[in-house]
Amino acid sequence: MKKYLPLFFIAGMIAACNGQDISDSASDTSHIEEAPSIGKVPVNTDTFSVGKKSFTIHPLEHSSFDKLPDPDYDSAETNLLNKDKAHVKRTGDALEFALNNGETHTLANNTKEDDKYCIYFYAGYLPDIHQYLVFGSYYESSDYVLINADNGDITHVWGIPVISPDHRYVICASVDLIAGFNNNGFQLFSYRNNKLISEGDVQFDKWGPGQMKWLDNKTIEAEYVVLDSDMNEVPKPVKLVMK
C-alpha cells in the first residue's frame, strides 16, 4: 500500500525553522535503553553520538511548537510553484528546475512500476543553503530530496532540513515509531563551500524526534516523541546540546 505522509506543513516549517550522498552514517552508540514513563522526559545525563558530535538531552518545561496543521498537498505545491515560477515548473508528471549554471534538472513521477514507484511534490526553496526542497513519496516509504540550485547535485534526506543560525549545520529529523516504514532518528550535515557534507546519522528505538529548531549554533529545541499505552504519539519538549 502506497504511503502518503504529511508534507505540506513544509512551507510554514521552513519559515519557522530557518529564521535552513548519504552513505557515511554513524550508529547510535549510546541512545536511551528504556522509554521514559509518559509525562517524564530524560535526565540531563542522557547522551547519544552522531558522527564525531555528541548530543546531551535536557528536559524543557514548555514547548514553543504549535500543533502542525493537516496537509493540503495540491494547493501548497501550487502556491509554492507560483512563488518560484522563474526557476521551477511542473510539466505533467515532472518537476523541472532551472539551475544557475544554465542547465535544467528534472524529477519525474513513476506510478507504473512498484519497485520504482515515486511521486514528487515541490516543497520550496532554501536560500541559506542554495537548495530546492522536494517531497518524495515511494511505494512504502518517503523522504525529501534536496537539489542544489547551482549545479543540480542531489541529496536525499530523512526530513525537512533545519539550518543552524550560522548556516554551518543542517539537521533532518524523521519520526516513525509505529509503522517502521521510514527512519526514526535524524541526520546531521555540515554546510561548506555550497556543499552538504554528511556528519553522520542516528536512529532510536524507544523514542523519535518530532519538530526541531535551532535556538543557537549549538542548541536545538526538539520534540521527544514516545508512545503511550494506546500507541498514541506523545511529544515532550527537550533541548539537545551539541558538542
Side-chain angles (χ1 to χ4, degrees):
M1 168 174 149
K2 298 174 179 62
K3 184 181 181 189
Y4 294 88
L5 302 180
L7 74 118
F8 281 117
F9 58 80
I10 290 174
M13 283 284 290
I14 292 173
C17 294
N18 296 320
Q20 258 72 113
D21 210 349
I22 313 171
S23 57
D24 296 329
S25 65
S27 61
D28 173 15
T29 57
S30 57
H31 65 265
I32 298 161
E33 295 297 334
E34 298 294 333
S37 59
I38 302 304
K40 294 183 178 180
V41 295
V43 297
N44 290 357
T45 55
D46 287 324
T47 62
F48 58 90
S49 298
V50 182
K52 296 180 180 180
K53 297 293 183 180
S54 65
F55 290 80
T56 303
I57 304 174
H58 301 263
L60 285 177
E61 185 174 353
H62 302 290
S63 172
S64 67
F65 294 114
D66 295 325
K67 182 179 179 181
L68 294 174
D70 293 332
D72 185 346
Y73 307 101
D74 293 334
S75 65
E77 185 187 63
T78 298
N79 292 337
L80 290 167
L81 287 173
N82 285 336
K83 177 183 177 182
D84 297 335
K85 60 186 177 181
H87 303 283
V88 188
K89 67 178 181 179
R90 177 173 288 283
T91 303
D93 287 336
L95 288 169
E96 298 179 357
F97 300 85
L99 305 178
N100 295 333
N101 62 7
E103 298 180 358
T104 298
H105 184 89
T106 301
L107 282 180
N109 297 343
N110 184 344
T111 59
K112 297 180 180 179
E113 303 171 88
D114 284 350
D115 61 338
K116 297 180 180 179
Y117 180 92
C118 57
I119 294 181
Y120 296 109
F121 297 90
Y122 180 59
Y125 179 61
L126 308 178
D128 290 340
I129 55 173
H130 296 190
Q131 304 278 334
Y132 296 108
L133 180 64
V134 174
F135 176 80
S137 178
Y138 312 115
Y139 188 67
E140 284 189 326
S141 66
S142 65
D143 69 5
Y144 292 84
V145 183
L146 290 172
I147 302 171
N148 189 302
D150 294 332
N151 56 32
D153 285 351
I154 295 291
T155 307
H156 284 263
V157 297
W158 295 355
I160 299 169
V162 183
I163 302 166
S164 63
D166 61 4
H167 306 165
R168 291 183 60 192
Y169 291 99
V170 180
I171 196 166
C172 302
S174 172
V175 57
D176 189 356
L177 289 166
I178 299 175
F181 288 114
N182 288 344
N183 293 288
N184 188 70
F186 67 80
Q187 300 161 296
L188 180 69
F189 296 87
S190 58
Y191 180 70
R192 300 191 298 272
N193 300 320
N194 196 28
K195 293 182 179 180
L196 286 169
I197 302 167
S198 176
E199 296 292 328
D201 61 60
V202 62
Q203 300 217 40
F204 305 106
D205 295 325
K206 305 299 183 182
W207 68 283
Q211 298 184 75
M212 286 188 163
K213 70 177 180 182
W214 294 84
L215 300 178
D216 56 42
N217 294 324
K218 299 294 183 181
T219 311
I220 300 166
E221 180 183 349
E223 291 179 321
Y224 182 100
V225 182
V226 295
L227 297 178
D228 65 15
S229 58
D230 295 320
M231 299 298 286
N232 297 311
E233 292 186 348
V234 181
K236 297 297 176 180
V238 296
K239 179 175 64 175
L240 307 179
V241 178
M242 180 176 72
K243 295 182 180 179

